[in-house]
């Protein structure tokens, strides 16, 4: 149990750092934000999903607030993105990878935590997905973009797959590092493949988008 | 008590389905969203108001998460809207009616639940209204529109009336199906009349809107 | 303790009134909202920060809902702004001052409340800042503006300073009226000075904003 908790914490912190970097870079690119805005948006992206998860689970104050390591890691990601924004601008590839890392880890850790709080299977899967896409959704709303989760089908689907796999694994009694990293790896692979091959979810019949 | 709980649940589920349909159609119309986006926006519209209500009441995990029926009904509404988006596009009238149904039911069930949690009269009325308009407000923010509740006075006012009526009825000892459906019916009638007759709330003195 | 609680309440209510006025005026100016929209946006601006604070602390129903005085004061601010919108339009100066008053008071009362709930020092500082900027951020998102906290560095920084000072004071055993008003006064002074002198937070290297 202690090991599992430590594992979830470490993976959560890695995901937090990846999203902090990603959110801050979004701030540098998409909106003319200053240092405070860049770090703030990085932190919201990094810890927003976990805060929504913990509010819905009733685990308050959220882990982010009772455990300073989340705040430190999220702020570090934001600060590094600001300082290196010139280099990061050329690193679009690694940034997308980091976003997929955060997505994968949060989907899996979010679903695991939800099961641990006694939620049912469909609820745990959905809460894992919310954890994964929540921070990025707050980020997009704050810089006035339509959230990725709404217009880019293959953002939510890999998270759903990852959350489903970990819930299935735990249901089968397969817990710990192997199950967690395995589910996260599948989520990551689906996300990266989807991006590379341009997977798209079905769209409404043509002509319906007009208004 | 058991009957009242069942009644609130059934009315809540009907409202959830109506809002799921409505939110998904909004996604099809207002933004070019794919299947995942359409169903996601339908679900957020359908269960967003109830989630905000339960977070404010401290009833977590929200009913939506501990009871899979909300998730199923919300997803079904979203999916049906996607599948039938060609036909639904011509059904603008029924859609507005469904939205008014959801608004009316959520205003009344939200205020009832708030009273049951020990909130005072003004708080219960406001929380009922928040339940009614919350999902639609999240929907509008996510597709970057000014929320209906802000620019269309006769969206919030019927909800306030419905919530006030049920709180008054419960205060007078009139509970159960008659009071609940009566308050919801008045809310529904005011909303539909307001739409048909173009009721508008007072506006600031002219010239003040300019900037 | 009773006195401190009363003090926090009174300062909170003054901040709530100031933000109610400010949010409603924003509604009159920035978007063509009607009476319901103006009062709603005023109330959300006024009590939004405190609601976010209480949700994160797990103090539900939020003080705003269990204590009608917050609702009354917030609504009064919104209503007054609507009624006097012609005069208020010329009172841009006082409005900015009221916003700074709300920011200062909420930063200090939010951080104090967080300490009282057992949060650590960095968490209390951040939660005070969230309380201070939360309502205005909801306001900006709802009328589709990039939130002040993201693009105007000297909105969050004074709040951080005020929250840090009260946390330091309480840590040193200096509590009550003097510490609270002192920390709020410094926050207020930094905010007003920043506005007058055009303080800006550092920006990313030029050319990085392009996309």
């Amino acid at each position: 149990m202690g090991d599992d908790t430590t594992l979830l914490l470490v993976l959560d912190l890695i995901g937090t750092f990846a999203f902090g970097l990603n959110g801050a870079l979004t701030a540098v690119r998409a909106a003319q934000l200053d240092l405070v805005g860049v770090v703030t948006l990085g932190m919201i992206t990094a810890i927003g999903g976990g805060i929504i998860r913990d509010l819905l689970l009733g685990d308050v104050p959220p882990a982010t607030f009772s455990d300073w390591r989340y705040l430190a890691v999220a702020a570090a990601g934001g600060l590094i993105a600001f300082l290196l924004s010139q280099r990061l601008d050329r690193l679009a590839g690694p940034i997308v990878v980091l976003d997929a890392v955060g997505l994968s880890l949060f989907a899996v850790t979010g679903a695991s935590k939800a099961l641990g709080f006694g939620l049912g299977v469909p609820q745990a899967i959905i809460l894992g997905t919310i954890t994964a896409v929540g921070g990025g959704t707050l980020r997009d709303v704050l810089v006035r973009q339509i959230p990725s989760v709404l217009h880019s089908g293959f953002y939510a689907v890999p998270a759903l797959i990852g959350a489903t796999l970990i819930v299935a694994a735990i249901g089968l009694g397969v817990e710990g590092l192997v199950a967690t990293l395995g589910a996260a790896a599948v989520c990551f692979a689906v996300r990266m493949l989807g991006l590379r091959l341009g997977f798209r979810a079905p769209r409404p019949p043509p002509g319906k988008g007009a208004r």
Side-chain angles (χ1 to χ4, degrees), chain A:
Chain A
M1 180 65 198
D3 282 355
D4 277 13
T5 307
T6 306
L7 172 67
L8 284 185
L9 175 66
V10 170
L11 295 180
D12 242 16
L13 290 176
I14 296 173
T16 301
F17 182 74
F19 271 138
L21 217 50
N22 168 277
L25 192 77
T26 302
V28 172
R29 276 188 168 176
Q32 275 72 41
L33 305 183
D34 58 23
L35 172 59
V36 177
V38 167
V39 174
T40 301
L41 197 64
M43 291 185 73
I44 291 172
T45 308
I47 68 181
I51 287 180
I52 295 172
R53 175 197 63 199
D54 289 352
L55 286 178
L56 292 174
L57 287 175
D59 183 27
V60 286
T64 315
F65 277 89
S66 39
D67 186 336
W68 62 271
R69 288 170 290 195
Y70 286 93
L71 294 174
V73 162
L79 210 53
I80 290 171
F82 182 83
L83 294 175
L84 304 183
S85 55
Q86 196 144 15
R87 290 187 60 187
L88 283 172
D89 208 37
R90 287 183 217 141
L91 299 178
I95 290 304
V96 169
V97 172
L98 283 170
D99 181 60
V101 168
L103 186 80
S104 308
L105 293 174
F106 279 6
V108 173
T109 59
S112 297
K113 180 164 184 176
L115 280 184
F117 270 71
L119 258 62
V121 163
Q123 291 86 350
I125 292 171
I126 289 178
L127 199 57
T129 307
I130 291 175
T131 310
V133 306
T137 300
L138 290 178
R139 173 199 66 205
D140 293 342
V141 166
L142 289 171
V143 297
R144 294 188 300 182
Q145 298 183 344
I146 302 247
S148 302
V149 68
L150 289 184
H151 67 74
S152 166
F154 269 79
Y155 195 67
V157 168
L160 273 170
I161 293 174
T164 303
L165 285 177
I166 189 67
V167 167
I170 292 175
L172 295 171
V174 186
E175 301 196 38
L177 186 65
V178 173
T180 304
L181 286 184
V186 173
C187 172
F188 178 80
V190 172
R191 171 65 180 154
M192 295 310 293
L193 262 177
L195 277 173
R196 180 150 303 213
L197 305 180
F199 284 169
R200 308 184 77 172
R203 286 171 180 275
K208 298 302 123 197
R211 194 184 194 175

